[in-house]
Amino acid sequence: MSKERARRRAEREAERARAIRANELRQARRARRRALLSRMLPRPARAARQGGLLARRRRAQNAVVALGLLLVQVLVWLVWGSLLLSFGVLVLSLLLTPVVVTLAFDRRI
């Protein structure tokens, strides 16, 4: 009985050693591939978000403009419910947005 247990334990340990070796080979292959790719491909530039006062103000203004456009679209859709009219208002809104932004947020005035 103890010889049988010893044989099974040896088989389990051998299987575990094979699994560990296969895992090590996979990790080594993955590391070589990653190193090769990092040498071949240019490193992407990190797009850091600007954190200054002007950048924060600009993000807030853009959020206000986007919210205004969304509210106009929802209002037109709720009041009239016409798909053609909603599309027309969307096109008109997109055309007039730069004018509204200039009038609302331009500090030169």
Side-chain angles (χ1 to χ4, degrees):
M1 185 69 135
S2 66
K3 287 183 182 180
E4 180 65 24
R5 272 191 257 150
R7 185 184 62 76
R8 281 189 259 159
R9 183 174 56 242
E11 287 175 357
R12 284 193 307 268
E13 288 175 357
E15 180 62 34
R16 190 175 305 127
R18 278 193 295 270
I20 289 172
R21 178 69 182 145
N23 191 20
E24 288 173 351
L25 287 173
R26 258 192 315 272
Q27 287 179 351
R29 194 169 37 244
R30 192 175 298 142
R32 281 193 309 269
R33 186 178 306 129
R34 193 175 300 128
L36 178 67
L37 283 175
S38 69
R39 279 182 286 163
M40 290 174 59
L41 298 176
R43 182 165 273 169
R46 187 169 169 215
R49 193 167 157 177
Q50 295 292 323
L53 176 65
L54 293 177
R56 278 184 277 147
R57 184 179 296 160
R58 179 65 162 225
R59 280 194 297 273
Q61 289 174 355
N62 289 342
V64 167
V65 168
L67 185 65
L69 283 173
L70 181 69
L71 286 175
V72 165
Q73 289 302 311
V74 168
L75 235 143
V76 167
W77 181 70
L78 286 176
V79 172
W80 285 286
S82 168
L83 191 61
L84 187 60
L85 185 64
S86 293
F87 183 70
V89 169
L90 174 66
V91 170
L92 192 64
S93 297
L94 291 176
L95 289 173
L96 291 178
T97 298
V99 175
V100 172
V101 168
T102 303
L103 291 175
F105 298 123
D106 194 17
R107 283 184 250 131
R108 289 179 292 186
I109 296 175

Short mmCIF file of all heavy atoms in Angstrom, two decimals, residues 54-98:
data_model
loop_
_atom_site.label_atom_id
_atom_site.label_comp_id
_atom_site.label_asym_id
_atom_site.label_seq_id
_atom_site.Cartn_x
_atom_site.Cartn_y
_atom_site.Cartn_z
N LEU A 54 -7.19 77.29 -17.00
CA LEU A 54 -7.81 77.48 -18.31
C LEU A 54 -8.35 76.18 -18.87
O LEU A 54 -9.42 76.16 -19.48
CB LEU A 54 -6.80 78.10 -19.29
CG LEU A 54 -6.37 79.53 -18.98
CD1 LEU A 54 -5.32 79.99 -19.98
CD2 LEU A 54 -7.56 80.46 -18.96
N ALA A 55 -7.63 75.09 -18.64
CA ALA A 55 -8.10 73.79 -19.14
C ALA A 55 -9.37 73.37 -18.41
O ALA A 55 -10.31 72.86 -19.03
CB ALA A 55 -7.01 72.74 -18.95
N ARG A 56 -9.40 73.58 -17.11
CA ARG A 56 -10.61 73.23 -16.35
C ARG A 56 -11.80 74.09 -16.78
O ARG A 56 -12.92 73.60 -16.93
CB ARG A 56 -10.37 73.39 -14.85
CG ARG A 56 -9.67 72.18 -14.26
CD ARG A 56 -9.53 72.30 -12.78
NE ARG A 56 -8.34 73.12 -12.54
CZ ARG A 56 -8.19 73.95 -11.53
NH1 ARG A 56 -9.15 74.10 -10.66
NH2 ARG A 56 -7.08 74.64 -11.38
N ARG A 57 -11.53 75.36 -17.01
CA ARG A 57 -12.60 76.26 -17.47
C ARG A 57 -13.11 75.84 -18.84
O ARG A 57 -14.31 75.82 -19.09
CB ARG A 57 -12.08 77.70 -17.51
CG ARG A 57 -13.17 78.69 -17.88
CD ARG A 57 -12.65 80.10 -17.90
NE ARG A 57 -12.22 80.51 -16.56
CZ ARG A 57 -11.39 81.50 -16.32
NH1 ARG A 57 -10.90 82.20 -17.31
NH2 ARG A 57 -11.07 81.83 -15.09
N ARG A 58 -12.20 75.46 -19.72
CA ARG A 58 -12.58 75.02 -21.06
C ARG A 58 -13.42 73.75 -21.01
O ARG A 58 -14.41 73.61 -21.72
CB ARG A 58 -11.30 74.80 -21.88
CG ARG A 58 -11.51 74.32 -23.27
CD ARG A 58 -12.23 75.38 -24.09
NE ARG A 58 -12.06 75.13 -25.48
CZ ARG A 58 -11.76 76.03 -26.35
NH1 ARG A 58 -11.60 77.27 -25.98
NH2 ARG A 58 -11.62 75.71 -27.59
N ARG A 59 -13.03 72.79 -20.15
CA ARG A 59 -13.82 71.56 -20.00
C ARG A 59 -15.21 71.86 -19.47
O ARG A 59 -16.20 71.29 -19.92
CB ARG A 59 -13.10 70.58 -19.07
CG ARG A 59 -12.00 69.81 -19.76
CD ARG A 59 -11.53 68.64 -18.94
NE ARG A 59 -10.94 69.01 -17.68
CZ ARG A 59 -9.67 69.31 -17.50
NH1 ARG A 59 -8.85 69.27 -18.52
NH2 ARG A 59 -9.20 69.62 -16.32
N ALA A 60 -15.29 72.78 -18.53
CA ALA A 60 -16.60 73.16 -17.98
C ALA A 60 -17.46 73.83 -19.05
O ALA A 60 -18.66 73.54 -19.17
CB ALA A 60 -16.42 74.09 -16.78
N GLN A 61 -16.86 74.69 -19.84
CA GLN A 61 -17.60 75.34 -20.92
C GLN A 61 -18.07 74.33 -21.96
O GLN A 61 -19.23 74.40 -22.42
CB GLN A 61 -16.73 76.41 -21.59
CG GLN A 61 -16.49 77.62 -20.74
CD GLN A 61 -15.50 78.59 -21.37
OE1 GLN A 61 -14.94 78.30 -22.42
NE2 GLN A 61 -15.29 79.71 -20.71
N ASN A 62 -17.21 73.39 -22.31
CA ASN A 62 -17.62 72.36 -23.26
C ASN A 62 -18.76 71.52 -22.71
O ASN A 62 -19.67 71.13 -23.45
CB ASN A 62 -16.43 71.48 -23.62
CG ASN A 62 -15.43 72.19 -24.50
OD1 ASN A 62 -15.75 73.21 -25.10
ND2 ASN A 62 -14.22 71.66 -24.56
N ALA A 63 -18.72 71.23 -21.42
CA ALA A 63 -19.79 70.46 -20.80
C ALA A 63 -21.11 71.23 -20.84
O ALA A 63 -22.18 70.67 -21.11
CB ALA A 63 -19.44 70.10 -19.36
N VAL A 64 -21.05 72.54 -20.59
CA VAL A 64 -22.25 73.38 -20.64
C VAL A 64 -22.82 73.40 -22.05
O VAL A 64 -24.04 73.28 -22.25
CB VAL A 64 -21.94 74.80 -20.14
CG1 VAL A 64 -23.05 75.77 -20.47
CG2 VAL A 64 -21.67 74.79 -18.64
N VAL A 65 -21.95 73.54 -23.05
CA VAL A 65 -22.41 73.57 -24.44
C VAL A 65 -23.05 72.23 -24.82
O VAL A 65 -24.13 72.19 -25.42
CB VAL A 65 -21.24 73.91 -25.39
CG1 VAL A 65 -21.62 73.67 -26.83
CG2 VAL A 65 -20.81 75.34 -25.18
N ALA A 66 -22.41 71.14 -24.46
CA ALA A 66 -22.95 69.81 -24.79
C ALA A 66 -24.29 69.59 -24.08
O ALA A 66 -25.24 69.06 -24.68
CB ALA A 66 -21.96 68.72 -24.38
N LEU A 67 -24.38 70.00 -22.83
CA LEU A 67 -25.64 69.86 -22.10
C LEU A 67 -26.73 70.72 -22.72
O LEU A 67 -27.88 70.29 -22.84
CB LEU A 67 -25.43 70.24 -20.63
CG LEU A 67 -26.63 70.04 -19.71
CD1 LEU A 67 -26.97 68.56 -19.60
CD2 LEU A 67 -26.34 70.62 -18.35
N GLY A 68 -26.37 71.93 -23.14
CA GLY A 68 -27.34 72.80 -23.81
C GLY A 68 -27.86 72.19 -25.10
O GLY A 68 -29.07 72.21 -25.37
N LEU A 69 -26.96 71.64 -25.92
CA LEU A 69 -27.38 70.99 -27.15
C LEU A 69 -28.31 69.81 -26.88
O LEU A 69 -29.32 69.62 -27.56
CB LEU A 69 -26.17 70.51 -27.94
CG LEU A 69 -25.39 71.56 -28.71
CD1 LEU A 69 -24.13 70.97 -29.30
CD2 LEU A 69 -26.25 72.17 -29.79
N LEU A 70 -27.95 69.03 -25.87
CA LEU A 70 -28.79 67.87 -25.52
C LEU A 70 -30.16 68.32 -25.04
O LEU A 70 -31.18 67.74 -25.43
CB LEU A 70 -28.09 67.04 -24.44
CG LEU A 70 -28.83 65.79 -24.00
CD1 LEU A 70 -28.84 64.77 -25.12
CD2 LEU A 70 -28.20 65.22 -22.75
N LEU A 71 -30.20 69.36 -24.21
CA LEU A 71 -31.49 69.85 -23.72
C LEU A 71 -32.37 70.39 -24.84
O LEU A 71 -33.59 70.16 -24.85
CB LEU A 71 -31.27 70.93 -22.66
CG LEU A 71 -30.79 70.43 -21.30
CD1 LEU A 71 -30.50 71.60 -20.38
CD2 LEU A 71 -31.81 69.52 -20.68
N VAL A 72 -31.76 71.08 -25.79
CA VAL A 72 -32.53 71.59 -26.94
C VAL A 72 -33.12 70.43 -27.72
O VAL A 72 -34.30 70.44 -28.09
CB VAL A 72 -31.64 72.49 -27.83
CG1 VAL A 72 -32.29 72.73 -29.18
CG2 VAL A 72 -31.35 73.80 -27.14
N GLN A 73 -32.32 69.40 -27.95
CA GLN A 73 -32.80 68.24 -28.71
C GLN A 73 -33.94 67.54 -27.98
O GLN A 73 -34.96 67.18 -28.57
CB GLN A 73 -31.66 67.25 -28.96
CG GLN A 73 -30.65 67.74 -29.94
CD GLN A 73 -31.27 68.06 -31.28
OE1 GLN A 73 -32.01 67.28 -31.85
NE2 GLN A 73 -30.97 69.24 -31.78
N VAL A 74 -33.78 67.33 -26.68
CA VAL A 74 -34.83 66.66 -25.90
C VAL A 74 -36.09 67.50 -25.87
O VAL A 74 -37.21 66.98 -26.03
CB VAL A 74 -34.31 66.36 -24.47
CG1 VAL A 74 -35.44 65.93 -23.56
CG2 VAL A 74 -33.23 65.30 -24.53
N LEU A 75 -35.94 68.80 -25.71
CA LEU A 75 -37.11 69.68 -25.67
C LEU A 75 -37.87 69.65 -27.00
O LEU A 75 -39.10 69.55 -27.01
CB LEU A 75 -36.66 71.11 -25.38
CG LEU A 75 -37.35 71.74 -24.17
CD1 LEU A 75 -36.39 72.60 -23.42
CD2 LEU A 75 -38.53 72.51 -24.65
N VAL A 76 -37.15 69.73 -28.10
CA VAL A 76 -37.81 69.68 -29.41
C VAL A 76 -38.50 68.35 -29.61
O VAL A 76 -39.63 68.27 -30.09
CB VAL A 76 -36.78 69.96 -30.55
CG1 VAL A 76 -37.35 69.61 -31.92
CG2 VAL A 76 -36.35 71.40 -30.50
N TRP A 77 -37.85 67.29 -29.21
CA TRP A 77 -38.42 65.95 -29.38
C TRP A 77 -39.67 65.78 -28.51
O TRP A 77 -40.67 65.20 -28.95
CB TRP A 77 -37.38 64.90 -29.03
CG TRP A 77 -37.87 63.51 -29.22
CD1 TRP A 77 -38.14 62.89 -30.39
CD2 TRP A 77 -38.20 62.58 -28.18
NE1 TRP A 77 -38.59 61.63 -30.16
CE2 TRP A 77 -38.64 61.41 -28.80
CE3 TRP A 77 -38.14 62.63 -26.79
CZ2 TRP A 77 -39.02 60.30 -28.08
CZ3 TRP A 77 -38.52 61.52 -26.07
CH2 TRP A 77 -38.96 60.37 -26.72
N LEU A 78 -39.64 66.32 -27.28
CA LEU A 78 -40.80 66.19 -26.39
C LEU A 78 -41.96 67.08 -26.81
O LEU A 78 -43.12 66.67 -26.74
CB LEU A 78 -40.39 66.52 -24.95
CG LEU A 78 -39.56 65.47 -24.22
CD1 LEU A 78 -39.15 65.97 -22.85
CD2 LEU A 78 -40.31 64.15 -24.10
N VAL A 79 -41.67 68.30 -27.24
CA VAL A 79 -42.74 69.23 -27.56
C VAL A 79 -43.39 68.88 -28.91
O VAL A 79 -44.61 68.80 -29.00
CB VAL A 79 -42.20 70.68 -27.58
CG1 VAL A 79 -43.25 71.64 -28.11
CG2 VAL A 79 -41.78 71.08 -26.17
N TRP A 80 -42.58 68.65 -29.94
CA TRP A 80 -43.16 68.42 -31.26
C TRP A 80 -43.18 66.95 -31.64
O TRP A 80 -44.08 66.52 -32.34
CB TRP A 80 -42.41 69.23 -32.32
CG TRP A 80 -42.77 70.68 -32.26
CD1 TRP A 80 -43.93 71.23 -32.66
CD2 TRP A 80 -41.98 71.73 -31.71
NE1 TRP A 80 -43.91 72.58 -32.42
CE2 TRP A 80 -42.71 72.91 -31.83
CE3 TRP A 80 -40.72 71.80 -31.13
CZ2 TRP A 80 -42.24 74.14 -31.41
CZ3 TRP A 80 -40.26 73.01 -30.72
CH2 TRP A 80 -41.01 74.17 -30.86
N GLY A 81 -42.18 66.19 -31.26
CA GLY A 81 -42.18 64.76 -31.52
C GLY A 81 -41.93 64.38 -32.97
O GLY A 81 -41.98 63.20 -33.31
N SER A 82 -41.66 65.33 -33.82
CA SER A 82 -41.43 65.04 -35.24
C SER A 82 -39.96 64.70 -35.44
O SER A 82 -39.07 65.43 -35.02
CB SER A 82 -41.80 66.26 -36.08
OG SER A 82 -41.33 66.10 -37.40
N LEU A 83 -39.71 63.59 -36.12
CA LEU A 83 -38.35 63.16 -36.37
C LEU A 83 -37.66 64.11 -37.36
O LEU A 83 -36.49 64.46 -37.18
CB LEU A 83 -38.34 61.73 -36.93
CG LEU A 83 -36.99 61.05 -37.01
CD1 LEU A 83 -36.38 60.92 -35.62
CD2 LEU A 83 -37.13 59.69 -37.64
N LEU A 84 -38.38 64.55 -38.35
CA LEU A 84 -37.82 65.47 -39.33
C LEU A 84 -37.47 66.82 -38.69
O LEU A 84 -36.41 67.39 -38.95
CB LEU A 84 -38.81 65.68 -40.49
CG LEU A 84 -38.31 66.49 -41.67
CD1 LEU A 84 -37.10 65.81 -42.30
CD2 LEU A 84 -39.42 66.66 -42.69
N LEU A 85 -38.37 67.31 -37.83
CA LEU A 85 -38.10 68.57 -37.14
C LEU A 85 -36.91 68.42 -36.18
O LEU A 85 -36.06 69.32 -36.09
CB LEU A 85 -39.34 69.02 -36.36
CG LEU A 85 -39.24 70.38 -35.68
CD1 LEU A 85 -39.09 71.48 -36.72
CD2 LEU A 85 -40.45 70.61 -34.82
N SER A 86 -36.82 67.28 -35.50
CA SER A 86 -35.68 67.04 -34.60
C SER A 86 -34.37 67.03 -35.37
O SER A 86 -33.36 67.59 -34.92
CB SER A 86 -35.85 65.71 -33.88
OG SER A 86 -36.94 65.76 -33.01
N PHE A 87 -34.38 66.40 -36.54
CA PHE A 87 -33.17 66.38 -37.36
C PHE A 87 -32.81 67.78 -37.84
O PHE A 87 -31.64 68.17 -37.83
CB PHE A 87 -33.37 65.44 -38.56
CG PHE A 87 -32.14 65.31 -39.40
CD1 PHE A 87 -31.02 64.63 -38.95
CD2 PHE A 87 -32.11 65.88 -40.66
CE1 PHE A 87 -29.89 64.52 -39.74
CE2 PHE A 87 -30.98 65.78 -41.46
CZ PHE A 87 -29.87 65.10 -40.99
N GLY A 88 -33.81 68.54 -38.23
CA GLY A 88 -33.56 69.91 -38.67
C GLY A 88 -32.99 70.77 -37.55
O GLY A 88 -32.07 71.56 -37.77
N VAL A 89 -33.53 70.62 -36.36
CA VAL A 89 -33.03 71.38 -35.20
C VAL A 89 -31.61 70.94 -34.87
O VAL A 89 -30.76 71.77 -34.49
CB VAL A 89 -33.97 71.23 -34.00
CG1 VAL A 89 -33.34 71.77 -32.73
CG2 VAL A 89 -35.29 71.93 -34.28
N LEU A 90 -31.30 69.65 -35.02
CA LEU A 90 -29.95 69.16 -34.77
C LEU A 90 -28.96 69.81 -35.73
O LEU A 90 -27.90 70.30 -35.31
CB LEU A 90 -29.89 67.64 -34.91
CG LEU A 90 -28.50 67.01 -34.81
CD1 LEU A 90 -27.95 67.19 -33.41
CD2 LEU A 90 -28.54 65.56 -35.19
N VAL A 91 -29.30 69.84 -37.01
CA VAL A 91 -28.41 70.46 -38.00
C VAL A 91 -28.25 71.94 -37.70
O VAL A 91 -27.14 72.48 -37.72
CB VAL A 91 -28.96 70.23 -39.43
CG1 VAL A 91 -28.20 71.06 -40.44
CG2 VAL A 91 -28.90 68.75 -39.78
N LEU A 92 -29.36 72.62 -37.40
CA LEU A 92 -29.30 74.05 -37.08
C LEU A 92 -28.48 74.29 -35.81
O LEU A 92 -27.69 75.24 -35.74
CB LEU A 92 -30.72 74.60 -36.92
CG LEU A 92 -30.85 76.11 -36.86
CD1 LEU A 92 -30.40 76.73 -38.18
CD2 LEU A 92 -32.29 76.48 -36.57
N SER A 93 -28.64 73.44 -34.82
CA SER A 93 -27.88 73.57 -33.58
C SER A 93 -26.39 73.41 -33.84
O SER A 93 -25.57 74.16 -33.28
CB SER A 93 -28.32 72.52 -32.56
OG SER A 93 -29.65 72.71 -32.20
N LEU A 94 -26.03 72.44 -34.65
CA LEU A 94 -24.61 72.23 -34.94
C LEU A 94 -24.02 73.40 -35.72
O LEU A 94 -22.85 73.74 -35.53
CB LEU A 94 -24.42 70.92 -35.71
CG LEU A 94 -24.69 69.65 -34.91
CD1 LEU A 94 -24.56 68.43 -35.80
CD2 LEU A 94 -23.78 69.55 -33.72
N LEU A 95 -24.82 74.00 -36.56
CA LEU A 95 -24.32 75.16 -37.31
C LEU A 95 -24.20 76.40 -36.44
O LEU A 95 -23.30 77.22 -36.62
CB LEU A 95 -25.23 75.45 -38.50
CG LEU A 95 -25.17 74.44 -39.65
CD1 LEU A 95 -26.23 74.76 -40.68
CD2 LEU A 95 -23.80 74.43 -40.27
N LEU A 96 -25.11 76.56 -35.49
CA LEU A 96 -25.12 77.77 -34.65
C LEU A 96 -24.27 77.64 -33.38
O LEU A 96 -24.07 78.63 -32.68
CB LEU A 96 -26.55 78.14 -34.29
CG LEU A 96 -27.40 78.65 -35.45
CD1 LEU A 96 -28.82 78.95 -34.97
CD2 LEU A 96 -26.79 79.88 -36.06
N THR A 97 -23.80 76.45 -33.06
CA THR A 97 -23.03 76.26 -31.83
C THR A 97 -21.79 77.15 -31.77
O THR A 97 -21.55 77.78 -30.73
CB THR A 97 -22.65 74.78 -31.67
OG1 THR A 97 -23.84 74.01 -31.56
CG2 THR A 97 -21.80 74.55 -30.44
N PRO A 98 -20.98 77.26 -32.82
CA PRO A 98 -19.81 78.15 -32.71
C PRO A 98 -20.19 79.61 -32.43
O PRO A 98 -19.49 80.31 -31.69
CB PRO A 98 -19.13 78.02 -34.08
CG PRO A 98 -19.62 76.74 -34.64
CD PRO A 98 -20.98 76.52 -34.08
#
